[in-house]
Amino acid sequence: MFEVERIIRTALVEDVGAGDLTTEATVAAGTQGQARLVAKEDFVLAGIDVARQVFAMVDASVTFSSRHRDGDAVQRGAVLAEMAGAAASLLQGERVALNLLQRMCGIATLTARFVAAVSGTSAQIVDTRKTTPGLRVLEKYAVRMGGGRNHRYALYDGVLIKENHIVAAGGITAAVQRARKRLSHIHKIEIETQNLREVEEAVTAGADIVLLDNMADVQLREAVTLVAGRALTEASGGVGLESVRAIAETGVDLISVGALTHSYRAVDISMLFE
Amino acid sequence: MFEVERIIRTALVEDVGAGDLTTEATVAAGTQGQARLVAKEDFVLAGIDVARQVFAMVDASVTFSSRHRDGDAVQRGAVLAEMAGAAASLLQGERVALNLLQRMCGIATLTARFVAAVSGTSAQIVDTRKTTPGLRVLEKYAVRMGGGRNHRYALYDGVLIKENHIVAAGGITAAVQRARKRLSHIHKIEIETQNLREVEEAVTAGADIVLLDNMADVQLREAVTLVAGRALTEASGGVGLESVRAIAETGVDLISVGALTHSYRAVDISMLFE
Amino acid sequence: MFEVERIIRTALVEDVGAGDLTTEATVAAGTQGQARLVAKEDFVLAGIDVARQVFAMVDASVTFSSRHRDGDAVQRGAVLAEMAGAAASLLQGERVALNLLQRMCGIATLTARFVAAVSGTSAQIVDTRKTTPGLRVLEKYAVRMGGGRNHRYALYDGVLIKENHIVAAGGITAAVQRARKRLSHIHKIEIETQNLREVEEAVTAGADIVLLDNMADVQLREAVTLVAGRALTEASGGVGLESVRAIAETGVDLISVGALTHSYRAVDISMLFE
Amino acid sequence: MFEVERIIRTALVEDVGAGDLTTEATVAAGTQGQARLVAKEDFVLAGIDVARQVFAMVDASVTFSSRHRDGDAVQRGAVLAEMAGAAASLLQGERVALNLLQRMCGIATLTARFVAAVSGTSAQIVDTRKTTPGLRVLEKYAVRMGGGRNHRYALYDGVLIKENHIVAAGGITAAVQRARKRLSHIHKIEIETQNLREVEEAVTAGADIVLLDNMADVQLREAVTLVAGRALTEASGGVGLESVRAIAETGVDLISVGALTHSYRAVDISMLFE
Amino acid sequence: MFEVERIIRTALVEDVGAGDLTTEATVAAGTQGQARLVAKEDFVLAGIDVARQVFAMVDASVTFSSRHRDGDAVQRGAVLAEMAGAAASLLQGERVALNLLQRMCGIATLTARFVAAVSGTSAQIVDTRKTTPGLRVLEKYAVRMGGGRNHRYALYDGVLIKENHIVAAGGITAAVQRARKRLSHIHKIEIETQNLREVEEAVTAGADIVLLDNMADVQLREAVTLVAGRALTEASGGVGLESVRAIAETGVDLISVGALTHSYRAVDISMLFE
Amino acid sequence: MFEVERIIRTALVEDVGAGDLTTEATVAAGTQGQARLVAKEDFVLAGIDVARQVFAMVDASVTFSSRHRDGDAVQRGAVLAEMAGAAASLLQGERVALNLLQRMCGIATLTARFVAAVSGTSAQIVDTRKTTPGLRVLEKYAVRMGGGRNHRYALYDGVLIKENHIVAAGGITAAVQRARKRLSHIHKIEIETQNLREVEEAVTAGADIVLLDNMADVQLREAVTLVAGRALTEASGGVGLESVRAIAETGVDLISVGALTHSYRAVDISMLFE
């Protein structure tokens, strides 16, 4: 609820701090200005209200209007928003607004490409916890705007039993049982598996979701057949745009893609003054 | 001074929050563990002490040892660090440490490639304010570890008079004079120019640094000749690895590259438990 | 991870603030002291490490030793912990430590009574979000120490579709489908029902957990029969110690009890100086 | 001044955090709603403006109107407030508002019962520092709304010399003199006594207030006679509703009751949507 | 309790922020250093432990030893403390430590002069709330180190009914009665008076302390006689070193001096490196 | 950007905290009031918008109007501002507003006297880092309002190589070269010198600004002649109003004066209620 406010405040403190030397020295107090945010390439929009909030936090009297909504596919040249107000305020909010908006659109756009690549299959693209420290709430939101779905948000809201937990618990069956016994009834249990034997053990032990770690497509297909709907199946590990379609066609329910939030490219957006 | 601590604390709150459900449910209290951070590709290291601090903030009793230093070129397979301590602490710090370290190494590595590309010329690669909101102190540090140099840190510590400031001030000469009059004597004055006429006006007005915005190489060369050492020259605008060498050979002093901090790729590092 | 630290820090600022007038005026600097935390009645212990952390945050050189662990049933007269250090530090931590410890033990003790009351049935006692603002992490922990289980922690980590959500979504089936479509695959879906017809609709729509709101025991029994293992069943609404056994015997899986965290009584613990 | 804001903000972060999953999944953006806070039992109102502020902090556009004022005795069925606004905002503020309001009313109501019990005597009911960590400002306010008076707020604003201070200072007389010498002239000095001899020593030494710790009624009466108006007298120690009248009739000026803030029961209030 | 830490942290963030450019550029990592804090004039010491804490917060491994204690009269040339550790840490803590220490010693020294000026009379020198915003805890402490006493700390811990309160309450008697009725029994009531008639009304109404505002010495003397021990008397208003003795000789109990904290001069202390 | 807000918030928490006892006890809720800020002596105004913000943060409905602007020379008796609103809000903001405003005007006024003293010479008066911890942004602003100019803001935005840096780097030339190599191109390099030999070495090494530390006027004059425009010259060290004119006449470009921010006297301003 106050998380986006924290992000913007931190970013403004970081960039403006004790003052904008250049603007204070060159722009007379009271000077008004107008500016537009313009797309310099095609992309999926995410973060337009974050940009709005940046300017509102710099100066509540700046106006910000937009005809676009997050999730829209925008074209090169599109005017994303129009702002008017004190020139100093526009100049001080510019970089923070762009730094956030360009990254969020980059994530949404990359996600949309992955989603398109698996179109027609039953697989869903989900994100990971490989997000930029401090910006997770915005990055997971951008994934949704690109058509992807979120995996667990953090260590505190979802369960994923990995290899080290399994070793510590004394095996897959022990780990699932222990988790079932200690966790709240509201949590599904997901567990990582390396081969078909582990998949079978996990499902038998009662796992709700089976993570198929770094398996070849043929193995994924066998795992899906083996599970046979007794649990959800999730493919994971080094998934790229070139490989995702084949993975989706194995019949897995979910494909988690770390690249969505750790290897996106910021899209090109300019703020033009009039 | 407390900035890195803030970043790590924010990241841990974001990722661990009210608790690590999986570990609490599956790993018995008191279980000890050992783990290694291993490079899965070649890259330039940056952030090893940040990783160390992550684990120290999770649990002061975790040990962390490394034979590598930031700035080192490490090879695929290199063991970046070895940790030992409570298994739960290692598991809880893992993702935050990797999320920070992989990004910082990504920036250092990309920077090193740009620096290598201009090797033998007199041009220096500098960064911009196009950094990830909240992480600037780490990203600018990573640029230095990759062999690049920092441009101004923020709006508060350096002066860069851009087109909108010039318009508001009533021209280049007026803008420089106004800045010289109002700013502290400790600040150099940099001003953006679009063509040779503006370059000449800027230098004559007393600018210390002239930013040559989006100029073609031939124009850059003419600008360098025109300035003739009266000011520093900085090329800027959409600089890529394929174009940077030719720009450097025009004789400019500085080349600023936004991509260093907005279009890097996180390097691949694994944390392996033993 | 930093949540308990926040609670203690807030409490110490609240109680000590700019200084402990009485101690500063009457106790000579350097005076050492010893004290014991003593149970004045029988109860279930919860929070002994919170008390330890209070004194550690007041003064890192205070020693604190205890032979008891959270979850222990302690008897009137038991020495919960022994402390030694600067007398001023013991005096300044006293009230905050007691205020937290007495409340946490109160919750654990009340929970244990509810758990005992349903002993031998298959029902589990779970808590609610009716916790003291700011202290949830400690109160939910105390419920576990008393043998209860946690329901969702907050609005962000679990799904409970209540009557108003159902109305807004256009009915039970629509609400469940909408939630299934929009939520991450990691979340179970729980939905509130008022009668058997709604129970059947919820289960058919695919709800994982059905909340049976304020139903009479006979109705609960019918609902359990109707659900027949297709979903978990949770009884809720004004559950007291006198009524909980009969509810448990209806066969429901879960009984949520707001009183655990909103109507407990702080247990009596004294800090005695020697 | 910013203390209530801190409490509400902490509570909202705790309960809503990264988002309200259920509402986001089931309630269409833009859906408006209306709701009422309704008393489900008789009680003394305290905290109506805190509830108002909760909704204002969730969403400044929610309207909140009430015909009741803190301190009012409200009857079962009374509509405490009416709210209108975005349905999502009403749902997100609901639990935090109720958690605070129900506790504050609980304290005011219990206080009012103690005050009524001593009606007609000259004794006043005062609170203690046995408050819920982090909520003291609200709990002490609620005591006043119930007709009680506040004792010192914290260690920093009032002086109460207890047994351990007396031992450290070398006796009652020494402790009072030392305090008088070192404290600001604005502070009254209160000191704890165990028997009549100590009472006499305290008064003679110049104490402004004498705390009569755990004395039987007959002893209290003798102490009041002995003090004879030379100081205020305060009875303290395990005071309950059944014993408070007899204590008041001994003639003491003040009766401090820890139960007001550590053993109250949250009153029953519902938020009904229309 | 955490107030001094907050002050130092704020000061270090303010002065060091993202880094000490000069030291990073010129001092090799690992360089060790030694330094002394030396008095350049005679003064009363206050704040030596604050200086110690500054260096400890910069770098826990810096050593700091001092043979002096707050309240000592030190002579020009005295070595206040000796430090050793990383040269960079000494350089980064230097200015913050001096900025705090020089101000605190300035206050203690000025206070000592006022205290000396009234020596032999029964008057005590007390401070006011005219302190530097954010530094009150240190400034009030420095007053005590100079031999002065503290007046109320803030609006929340003491009562001083001023002219505007009197007008709002409907007169002196009404104001005192209203305050007596509403305030906790732990608070003394002080009220401002302008003339003898008001003094008499205040005392009769039961004020504990009478503030004699801007009265001439002859009037002060009459007021003291009139009060005749029924209340404490406090002279206030533009008191200077040249006038304070005469005021003290009128027999008032207290003289409050705003200059102690708003018109002191920082003493001269150097940090010398070896 | 949020720095002034932080200062005011800290000051209000410090002064009002859990509440204004006196006002709550004596002023009926809803009482309205009007007040004026009146100059009690002649001075240069600085901080009028800070005072405005104090009242706005106490209570957004208080009105505040002023016909004066920072930098104005105001005369004794001038009405600086007029406020109207809830009496309680005016009373609660009074001390914080005055504590800030009186100090800022004190600095501006002292600065203006130094500036006047060097009138007609080419020297400029600049401040130092000897500011009050936590208030630097306001104090440096006040210096500008008094006609002075700012030196570097902090360690992070400007370079000043002092004696200890020189020793650590191995001499003046080495220090300047090292700094030039490692620092961003945006920073000017200033270096401290003790004698003419060092001045020459500094200028030859490429320093942009030469600090002439504690030199006699005759030596300053020689240094200015020696530098001959190759760098800026700054005189520093114990500069007072009586000595500053002679220093300015030596031809130095800058004179830094620590006294501007560490030895000013708060001006006298009253807040009068009507």
Side-chain angles (χ1 to χ4, degrees), chain A residues 23 44 51 66 102 117 138 171 186 214 221 230 244 251 257 271:
Chain A
T23 301
V44 176
S66 173
Q102 291 177 287
L138 297 182
I186 68 159
N214 270 312
R221 202 175 304 267
R230 292 178 292 167
V244 71
V257 186
M271 180 156 153

Side-chain angles (χ1 to χ4, degrees), chain A residues 124 126 144 149-153 156-159 179-188 190 208-209 232 234 254, chain C residues 124 126 144 149-153 156-159 179-188 190 208-209 232 234 254:
Chain A
Q124 294 191 311
V126 300
R144 294 199 301 275
R149 294 185 73 184
N150 295 145
H151 206 300
R152 62 174 172 169
Y153 187 81
Y156 59 74
D157 77 326
V159 178
R180 188 68 77 203
K181 180 146 171 284
R182 300 202 184 172
L183 288 166
S184 169
H185 62 284
I186 68 159
H187 294 298
K188 287 190 182 171
E190 176 164 7
D208 297 298
I209 312 166
L232 291 175
E234 173 182 341
L254 305 149
Chain C
Q124 294 190 310
V126 299
R144 293 199 301 275
R149 294 184 74 183
N150 295 144
H151 206 300
R152 61 174 173 170
Y153 188 81
Y156 58 75
D157 76 327
V159 178
R180 188 69 77 201
K181 179 144 171 288
R182 300 202 181 172
L183 287 167
S184 169
H185 62 284
I186 68 159
H187 294 298
K188 287 191 182 170
E190 177 164 6
D208 298 298
I209 312 165
L232 291 174
E234 172 182 342
L254 305 150

Side-chain angles (χ1 to χ4, degrees), chain B residues 126 149-152 156-158 180-188 190 208-209 232 234 254, chain F residues 126 149-152 156-158 180-188 190 209 232 234 254:
Chain B
V126 300
R149 294 183 75 181
N150 296 144
H151 206 300
R152 63 174 170 171
Y156 58 74
D157 76 327
R180 189 68 77 201
K181 178 144 172 286
R182 300 203 184 172
L183 287 166
S184 169
H185 62 285
I186 68 159
H187 293 299
K188 288 192 181 169
E190 176 164 6
D208 298 298
I209 312 165
L232 291 174
E234 173 182 341
L254 305 149
Chain F
V126 299
R149 294 183 73 182
N150 296 145
H151 206 300
R152 63 175 171 170
Y156 58 74
D157 77 327
R180 188 68 77 200
K181 179 144 170 286
R182 300 203 183 172
L183 288 166
S184 169
H185 62 284
I186 67 160
H187 293 298
K188 286 192 183 170
E190 175 163 9
I209 312 166
L232 291 174
E234 173 181 341
L254 305 149

